[in-house]
Amino acid sequence: MKEFALMMIGAALVNNVILARFLGLCSFMGVTTRVDTAAGMGLATTFVITVSSMADWAVQTWLLDAYGLGFLRTVTFILVIASAVQFTEMTIKKVSPSLFQMLGIYLPLITTNCAVLGVALLLVEGKMGFLNATMFAFASSVGYSLVMIIFAGLRERLVLAEVPRLFAGPPIAFVVAGMLAMAFMGFSGIATS
């Protein structure tokens, strides 16, 4: 049980897919102008990462490894991810049309979000069992969502702050993102102590 807790904390905070691995930066900068939009994207991405990682693990274990088709890994994983995104998109459109409108083009672009594919590839490299892989994928996606929401809150505050004209808009957002990454890097110092 302690191993699961440490792995989940490590995946969410220490090796955060955005701030430590620098994956998923497109949605990180594009969707984080409002907290509600960032939370919606975080939930959608959490679902996609978790479900697609479970399916990718099964495909890798029972199909690609079993028949020596490892060279098809990336293409196969992208097809699985695209299917999960399509299901998520249809569900959000049906359940919450307003969230569907707010997310706009970023929702179908979850398919090309490198954080989703990156987590799936990390599972393959780590040679994890199904339960460990599922927990790792879920924790990674929770860390992704956490950072998205924190950064969106910071960006909402930045709109109200007096920022020099030279830094207004995306430049100050990148500065804050760098500071947030350094803050999360403080967790890795704790983990190695």
Side-chain angles (χ1 to χ4, degrees), residues 11-29:
L13 300 177
V14 178
N15 294 313
N16 186 279
V17 290
I18 294 176
L19 299 177
R21 298 187 187 273
F22 304 110
L23 299 173
L25 293 177
C26 178
S27 59
F28 176 66
M29 291 305 292

Side-chain angles (χ1 to χ4, degrees), residues 18 24 26-49 85 88 92 99-100 102-111 113 116 141 144-146 148-149 152:
I18 294 176
C26 178
S27 59
F28 176 66
M29 291 305 292
V31 182
T32 55
T33 54
R34 294 179 45 194
V35 171
D36 54 347
T37 308
M41 178 58 105
L43 288 174
T45 306
T46 296
F47 178 77
V48 169
I49 288 176
V85 169
T88 305
I92 290 175
L99 179 60
F100 181 78
M102 282 191 298
L103 292 175
I105 189 67
Y106 290 101
L107 189 57
L109 285 177
I110 293 174
T111 303
N113 187 334
V116 180
S141 60
Y144 175 90
S145 299
L146 175 70
M148 292 283 283
I149 293 168

Side-chain angles (χ1 to χ4, degrees), residues 151-171:
F151 190 60
L154 291 171
R155 286 186 75 177
E156 282 185 356
R157 296 290 303 240
L158 281 174
V159 171
L160 303 174
E162 289 186 33
V163 177
R165 200 171 358 153
L166 181 65
F167 287 103

